[in-house]
Amino acid sequence: MSNPHQPAWWTSAVVYQIYPRSFADGTGDGIGDLKGILEHVDYLQDLGVDVIWLSPVHESPQRDNGYDISNYRRIDRLFGTEEDFDELLGRLHVRGMKLVMDLVVNHTSSEHPAFKEARSSRENPLRDYFWWRDARPGFEPGEPGAEPNNWGSHFGGPAWTFDPATQQYYLHLFTPHQPDLNWENPKVRHEVYETMRWWLDRGVDGFRMDVINFISKDLALPDGLMEPGSIWGDGSPYFTNGPRIHEFLQEMRREVFSGRDGDFLTVGETPGATVDQALLYTDPYRAELDMVFQFEHVSLDQASGRKWDYRPLSLPDLKTSWNRWQRGLADRGWNSLYLSNHDQPRHVSRFGNDGAYRYESATLWATLLHLQRGTPYVYQGEEIGMTNAGFTSIDQYRDVESLNFYAEATAGGMSPEDALEALRAMSRDNPRTPMQWTAGPNAGFSDGEPWIEVNPNHLDVNAESDRAAEKSVFGYYRSLIDLRHTQDVVALGDFHLEAPEHPHLFAFHRRLDKTEWLIVANVSDADLELPLGMAVSGPLILGNYADAGDPEVLRPWEARVLDVSTTESWVG
């Protein structure tokens, strides 16, 4: 793990996330798998990434595409064999890359043997591995409104499901097929730690921990606040960053990593975490996590924090948010840098122009992200500028969250057209369409019928054509990754935001010792004349146009990285 007295190895690393069922199908059944990944290891090496984060490939009923694990020590046959996994791990290691597994331990699967036993009777020894409660006082078990509290699930409906056999309810913050584990029970915690040690012994290099800041709950399980028009309350104040979360994470660090040699990585997905909370999670002296995924910046286009109520992004709001995190974690702690992943829409569609300026806006956002302080995460396909799916029928969607939203929204009076419009903007199926390798059948993803439709724009947007193009998103990403590997100012420099209120200009300095870089970007479809006194000059390190351009004008979606170490740079 990291030494608090010197920069950790991951300060100059870049992580690439693979969503296995959508990356590459090596067996022809229409579902991505480990053999498919094995066929593209050289592609990953050529991109230059240091770490592969593999979304779950464990045994699972696949109710939530693998985030419902029924056996934590087995590879699901859907994705291949144990030998396939070991071969992938070996090939990555030979090429100098690390492999990080998804750790999903806030909840498990209703098909997990422990849950099956736990629900067999109230006296079962494993009953306390999960959260069981009686009906609300004054109600008959199973009747509407009898849930132990009013919490709503993240995927719609109540966060409690009634079990007729034992006449109690069990807690699930996600689907009813994903019962929450009771981390108050030390046996649960130590079984998790033993499983983590088992994977480390097998050779993996760390864990991305799914909603890890949900594992500690307020034992009172009180009702949450109700929004007008809702029948379910917001329970997040009582399970997000809960009362024992830091105790649990420090215990995990001691039990799993203490005394173990190696360069490991622990990244926690922490919805709702603030900068101050992130400092507690990632301060190396506290020995909890190496870095966090926070959600503040990817919630700014959601009115009142409601995912399906999309609104255009305010650039000044994004600058405020990113500056808060850059400055807040400047002296200690660490952040993960991302715009896309398996849960977020494609950012070139969400925040950019995915038509006429797809290349420029894809590389602009990459520049702004990779040139910040933190560890960048590349989600499969963003390195070639993949876009949202553009589905037009509910039959094309596969994600449980999306299907539940559509059913509830239309039952509540929303028109199907409006519900589909919300899905086109924000559905998790957007990033889960198959990776576009070629312009051939099924985008070169599979010889069979893909489990979800391929984006029809694969004829123009695919890895083969992008890598051969003069304007290559892949090539630009490779340049950004090389800068992080070779330039200390990128990994460790200070961050100074400029022109915070400008509606289209995103500019900041990175400074380390005598090195100073200026990053400027025009987040719009029109030429941007820089305000008086803001002309930018100095050697061009990297830009997404073929020439250096006018120092007083930025072209549409233009990004420039300039060395201003020896020039007088402007300050907004």
Side-chain angles (χ1 to χ4, degrees):
M1 307 304 288
S2 63
N3 181 338
H5 300 291
Q6 61 186 22
W9 64 270
W10 32 256
T11 59
S12 58
V14 176
V15 183
Y16 187 96
Q17 182 192 358
I18 289 179
Y19 192 69
R21 66 167 46 234
S22 298
F23 188 67
D25 173 18
T27 60
D29 64 356
I31 298 173
D33 48 39
L34 294 171
K35 287 188 180 298
I37 300 171
L38 281 164
E39 293 172 1
H40 295 283
V41 169
D42 289 342
Y43 172 91
L44 300 169
Q45 183 181 24
D46 194 30
L47 182 60
V49 295
D50 307 277
V51 182
I52 304 303
W53 155 26
L54 195 62
S55 288
V57 291
H58 313 77
E59 274 189 7
S60 165
Q62 301 293 321
R63 299 281 191 168
D64 185 23
N65 286 357
Y67 283 89
D68 51 323
I69 296 175
S70 55
N71 189 329
Y72 286 89
R73 300 193 188 189
R74 290 292 179 269
I75 301 299
D76 196 302
R77 298 293 296 185
L78 186 72
F79 298 117
T81 66
E82 304 296 326
E83 292 74 21
D84 291 335
F85 178 84
D86 291 333
E87 183 179 357
L88 174 62
L89 186 61
R91 286 202 198 175
L92 291 173
H93 284 171
V94 165
R95 289 164 173 78
M97 290 182 278
K98 299 179 183 297
L99 180 66
V100 166
M101 297 287 285
D102 233 312
L103 183 74
V104 187
V105 289
N106 170 72
H107 49 269
T108 184
S109 165
S110 56
E111 296 301 310
H112 193 288
F115 186 74
K116 288 183 174 181
E117 280 199 47
R119 71 189 312 177
S120 65
S121 77
R122 293 195 184 195
E123 291 72 37
N124 188 276
L126 299 185
R127 186 76 169 178
D128 194 41
Y129 274 42
F130 303 90
W131 294 87
W132 296 92
R133 291 294 184 272
D134 292 328
R136 187 182 291 268
F139 286 76
E140 288 296 318
E143 73 169 298
E147 292 83 8
N149 65 29
N150 69 358
W151 295 0
S153 158
H154 283 278
F155 289 165
W160 297 89
T161 288
F162 182 60
D163 181 55
T166 57
Q167 294 289 293
Q168 280 191 315
Y169 293 80
Y170 66 89
L171 177 67
H172 53 86
L173 296 180
F174 296 91
T175 75
H177 304 286
Q178 294 166 290
D180 276 45
L181 287 164
N182 177 16
W183 276 67
E184 295 292 324
N185 184 338
K187 292 181 180 179
V188 169
R189 302 200 302 275
H190 288 286
E191 285 199 26
V192 169
Y193 305 154
E194 176 57 32
T195 297
M196 294 172 71
R197 289 191 292 266
W198 186 86
W199 280 105
L200 293 175
D201 289 343
R202 190 167 177 174
V204 304
D205 302 290
F207 303 96
R208 176 267 185 186
M209 303 177 184
D210 190 67
V211 293
I212 197 66
N213 64 328
F214 288 4
I215 61 176
S216 173
K217 277 81 168 174
D218 182 330
L219 295 182
L221 301 177
D223 280 343
L225 290 176
M226 303 274 289
E227 286 192 11
S230 174
I231 61 171
W232 306 114
D234 177 12
S236 60
Y238 309 111
F239 60 73
T240 302
N241 309 305
R244 298 184 68 189
I245 183 63
H246 298 292
E247 174 191 345
F248 292 160
L249 291 177
Q250 289 168 8
E251 180 183 73
M252 176 192 289
R253 187 70 162 255
R254 290 194 306 270
E255 292 287 329
V256 176
F257 295 100
S258 181
R260 184 181 289 269
D261 291 331
D263 291 330
F264 303 107
L265 179 64
T266 59
V267 52
E269 183 191 33
T270 56
T274 64
V275 172
D276 287 343
Q277 289 161 341
L279 280 171
L280 296 177
Y281 288 128
T282 64
D283 183 339
Y285 288 95
R286 292 175 56 84
E288 296 182 19
L289 301 170
D290 294 325
M291 62 188 74
V292 295
F293 281 120
Q294 51 89 13
F295 284 66
E296 183 178 286
H297 65 297
V298 290
S299 302
L300 297 175
D301 57 353
Q302 300 168 18
S304 302
R306 294 187 295 269
K307 172 174 180 172
W308 304 108
D309 194 357
Y310 173 78
R311 65 183 181 191
L313 175 70
S314 161
L315 190 66
D317 286 353
L318 178 62
K319 288 189 278 189
T320 296
S321 175
W322 272 354
N323 190 55
R324 177 186 294 133
W325 284 86
Q326 286 291 298
R327 304 293 280 179
L329 299 180
D331 297 323
R332 55 192 174 94
W334 201 254
N335 195 20
S336 302
L337 306 173
Y338 76 98
L339 282 169
S340 290
N341 60 33
H342 66 292
D343 286 334
Q344 301 294 332
R346 293 284 182 185
H347 67 256
V348 72
S349 298
R350 184 179 186 180
F351 302 131
N353 179 328
D354 63 4
Y357 294 106
R358 185 184 61 84
Y359 166 80
E360 289 80 8
S361 55
T363 51
L364 175 145
W365 284 114
T367 304
L368 293 177
L369 197 74
H370 283 247
L371 269 296
Q372 291 185 56
R373 185 178 186 271
T375 297
Y377 283 67
V378 178
Y379 178 68
Q380 63 185 45
E382 75 171 79
E383 77 281 4
I384 59 170
M386 282 181 61
T387 69
N388 277 353
F391 290 157
T392 56
S393 166
I394 190 59
D395 296 333
Q396 295 172 288
Y397 287 90
R398 298 290 180 267
D399 179 42
V400 61
E401 180 189 39
S402 297
L403 297 175
N404 287 350
F405 161 74
Y406 183 86
E408 289 187 7
T410 53
M414 181 181 287
S415 71
E417 293 77 16
D418 287 344
L420 285 170
E421 185 63 29
L423 290 174
R424 277 191 288 273
M426 301 302 288
S427 169
R428 299 195 305 176
D429 281 326
N430 282 307
R432 299 179 182 187
T433 58
M435 177 70 180
Q436 294 163 209
W437 294 105
T438 72
N442 299 325
F445 163 74
S446 175
D447 292 333
E449 182 179 351
W451 70 277
I452 188 172
E453 288 183 30
V454 173
N455 192 322
N457 71 6
H458 74 275
L459 297 175
D460 300 309
V461 181
N462 60 76
E464 185 176 63
S465 62
D466 180 85
R467 296 185 71 185
E470 184 177 347
K471 296 197 304 184
S472 168
V473 181
F474 183 95
Y476 195 90
Y477 266 75
R478 189 161 52 185
S479 297
L480 283 170
I481 292 168
D482 184 64
L483 288 179
R484 179 163 292 271
H485 287 164
T486 59
Q487 303 296 322
D488 288 344
V489 69
V490 176
L492 303 172
D494 293 337
F495 176 97
H496 299 273
L497 181 69
E498 312 292 356
E501 299 301 323
H502 199 291
H504 302 299
L505 176 66
F506 204 134
F508 57 90
H509 285 84
R510 299 296 308 281
R511 297 169 182 156
L512 183 68
D513 299 327
K514 295 181 179 180
T515 301
E516 181 171 357
W517 287 8
L518 174 62
I519 295 87
V520 290
N522 172 16
V523 187
S524 80
D525 287 347
D527 284 351
L528 174 62
E529 186 173 341
L530 294 171
L532 187 64
M534 289 190 177
V536 293
S537 60
L540 182 67
I541 298 168
L542 183 64
N544 61 355
Y545 275 74
D547 59 85
D550 187 333
E552 297 183 356
V553 178
L554 293 177
R555 290 158 287 193
W557 299 96
E558 181 174 11
R560 299 179 195 169
V561 183
L562 300 130
D563 187 343
V564 296
S565 303
T566 58
T567 65
E568 184 178 349
S569 59
W570 56 268
V571 178

